[in-house]
Amino acid sequence: MASSGEDLPSDGDSPPAAAAVAGSAHLLGFSDEILLHILSHVPSTDLVVNVRHTCRKLAELCLDKSLTHTVLLQRDYEAGEDQVKQLVREIGREIQQLNMAGCYWLSGATIEHVARCRSLVKADLSGCHLTSLRLSKVLSALQRLRSLAIDVSPGFDAGQLSRECKATLSRVRELRQTLFTPSYGVVPCCTSLEKLLLYFEILDRTREGAILSGQLMVGQSNVPHYQNLRVFYARLAPGYINQEVVRLYLAVLSDRTPENLHAFLISVPGSFAESGATQNLLDSMARNVVLDALQLPKSWLSGSALLQHMRFHNPFYLSFSRCTVSGSLLMQHILNGGKDLRSLASLNLSGCAHCLAPDSLLRRAEDDIDSGILEMLVAACRNLRHLNLSAAHHHSAEGPGRHLCQLLARLGHLRSLSLPVCSVADSAPRADRKPAQPAMHAVPCGFGKKVRIGVQACPSPFPGQAGPQPSSVFWSLLKSLPFLQRLELIGSNFSSAMPRNEPAIRNSLPPCSRAQSVGDAEVAAIGQLAFLRHLTLAQLPSILTGSGLVSIGLQCQQLQSLSLANLGMMGKVVYMSALSDMLKHCKRLKDLRLEQPYFSANAQFFQALSQCSALQRLCLVSRSGTLQPEAVLAFMARCLHVVVCHMFTGESLAACRSLQQTLLRSR
């Protein structure tokens, strides 16, 4: 490639490649609109550093405002220090939105170059190396900034922020702040805040083992300005100190609840007891606020009359995860008696065991749902795009048109759906039916001779093609939702051995009896979803060979994220061959999480995984599992885009440390 403008051909010259293919179509023969669309998929650093220097036409197009106004460096692991600096020098004054989230490899000196982007309106610097002084230097030059995302790390001192920096912060309307230390961060300086997003990631102890205090230090106790606030969101990681710090933020809200507040969301793992300040806040919200979005800790809603007094106006997001919300309460006080709620886009009823039953006190796990309540819910929320009914037993009664899958099939706008495994079973198991063969008899024990899962053995998901056509209600549901992008099918009793934001539970419950009716055929039905990008399958005990996984790999070519956990019987990994065949077709897979006891991460597995050329993150959780270090090294040498590799198996600590050091030396 040419390295300077002097090597560019003149306006009348034909591109060199065009001369070689005279008389045939050439890329540069497309219209500017088509070329701009193609270039929009090229990383910004590559556009400025490389593509712009190929010819004069591309030099002009690469500087088009549609490409320079928004620069996304988020997780662009190939963007180095020099490339980012050159990018800012060349087009810094044109950039209005800059996303550098998670660019942890860039030095603080490189981050300082963001100060050159004086037209910035929105900047995401979360995960970047920013001290108080460096943040002050950068923000002092960004007078047009209106949206900011940063981390607040130990050692942050708001007293080091300059007057110019505080002036910029006073004009910021949207702030996303991740707290790694007890602090208000820059919130007290943001006097015009309309949207505040808080992520609490504070550890209870320092690296030296000292216990941290949830009280804010002197000088950090400035009262934040919330009078213009419209959206408040807080997500807490596990730990008591995160709860203590968020109470200080909420205490300010309880003194004077913003009149324009329309979205109030708090996500807390485990229990979070109410305090006097939170009770005052909730009472004030019930009296003075009309909400469009609501999410509260389960302990604040369970057994209280709060929801009966909350007022909603055209809600678009409602989450009642893990709450004891009955179906009658849901319909009468939240969904306005089943009236038209076409505005509602997202509804989270995860863990709400009583939400599809009229009485929240008498229902047992094995009882059937009330199809009338579900039918009213579907009719009222006809434009739902995201629905979560997982972590509960939702069993359908016998009868035509009463099955949960048949009713959900009417929600044609769904893009994200999460269901318990037992809810997709065709009918309740009966004593006169022959039980399914246990998974341990599906293949020979051990990993010596594998059962080869041929592609022809997979049922065809398309009419008119060879193969049996399943007629299950789950198959029909997915057929009616062809544009579904995210699907979660999780056992109602499943608990991960390594949860992200929930306390770990060692003794998990056995799968629901109805889940025994859900197996390979239902998994194969997922292959109908041509636009599927994210898939989670957990606690499916009746997986015999995993043949349905091959169908997903063949048909779901847009799949980017895959999470599999506890498939088949816990003591045997029966789907290794099918998984290997599936991975060979997953060319766009970026994220794979595999949780399975006794899993053997051997050469066969890593050789198949090596064909996932786009893979960036791998997480393997296997109690009593094994891995072959040589296979891991060969895999990492072939898949150069992998940046996260977590493997929790039964190997010794010494073996893991040796493998880790070898990997670090080889990268």
Side-chain angles (χ1 to χ4, degrees), residues 199-202 235-240 242-243 267-269 500-501:
Y199 298 83
F200 294 85
E201 299 282 347
I202 310 170
R235 191 192 71 186
L236 282 67
Y240 79 95
N242 289 308
Q243 297 187 9
S267 176
V268 180
R500 169 64 181 91
N501 275 328

Side-chain angles (χ1 to χ4, degrees), residues 1-19:
M1 293 184 179
S3 59
S4 66
E6 296 176 357
D7 298 326
L8 298 177
S10 63
D11 292 339
D13 293 339
S14 299

Side-chain angles (χ1 to χ4, degrees), residues 489-490 523 526 535-540 549 552 563-565 567:
L489 196 60
I490 304 174
V523 172
I526 300 173
L535 174 63
T536 297
L537 300 174
Q539 201 183 42
L540 278 77
L549 296 175
I552 295 173
S563 179
L564 304 176
L567 303 186

